[in-house]
């Protein structure tokens, strides 16, 4: 169950970054923050790597990833 919760937390962060990207891309091209878009895209890629490398048998790492990504999700969606 913890592994699945960690995967959900990672997916939540990917979704939050995707929403930020979509909102930014809706802006006229001249008003877009291309640096932010590139950073969010990079971070989505990092999330994918973490998700792919997460070992369901490594309880300590699973717990760490779940907590880290839950915290990141709250930060991204606050306000």
């Amino acid at each position: 169950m913890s592994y699945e919760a960690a995967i959900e937390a990672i997916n939540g962060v990917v979704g939050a970054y995707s929403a930020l990207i979509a909102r930014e891309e809706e802006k006229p091209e001249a008003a877009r923050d291309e640096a932010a878009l590139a950073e969010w895209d990079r971070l989505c890629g990092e999330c994918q790597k973490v998700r792919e490398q997460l070992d369901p048998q490594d309880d300590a790492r699973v717990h760490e990833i779940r907590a880290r990504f839950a915290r990141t999700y709250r930060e991204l969606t606050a306000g």
Side-chain angles (χ1 to χ4, degrees):
M1 172 118 154
S2 293
Y3 174 78
E4 289 82 10
I7 295 298
E8 271 189 45
I10 295 168
N11 290 341
V13 170
V14 170
Y17 283 131
S18 295
L20 290 170
I21 290 168
R23 266 196 304 264
E24 195 65 28
E25 287 179 338
E26 288 176 358
K27 294 179 181 178
E29 193 169 328
R32 288 184 195 154
D33 185 341
E34 295 297 332
L37 284 168
E39 179 67 2
W40 296 328
D41 187 57
R42 182 188 70 77
L43 291 168
C44 279
E46 284 186 13
C47 290
Q48 183 177 8
K49 286 179 188 174
V50 169
R51 186 173 48 220
E52 290 170 356
Q53 295 172 356
L54 189 58
D55 178 0
Q57 302 303 316
D58 187 345
D59 291 336
R61 180 79 172 139
V62 166
H63 179 74
E64 172 200 341
I65 292 300
R66 180 181 178 198
R68 182 176 120 205
F69 280 84
R71 185 173 48 253
T72 300
Y73 179 79
R74 285 191 302 272
E75 291 169 0
L76 289 171
T77 60

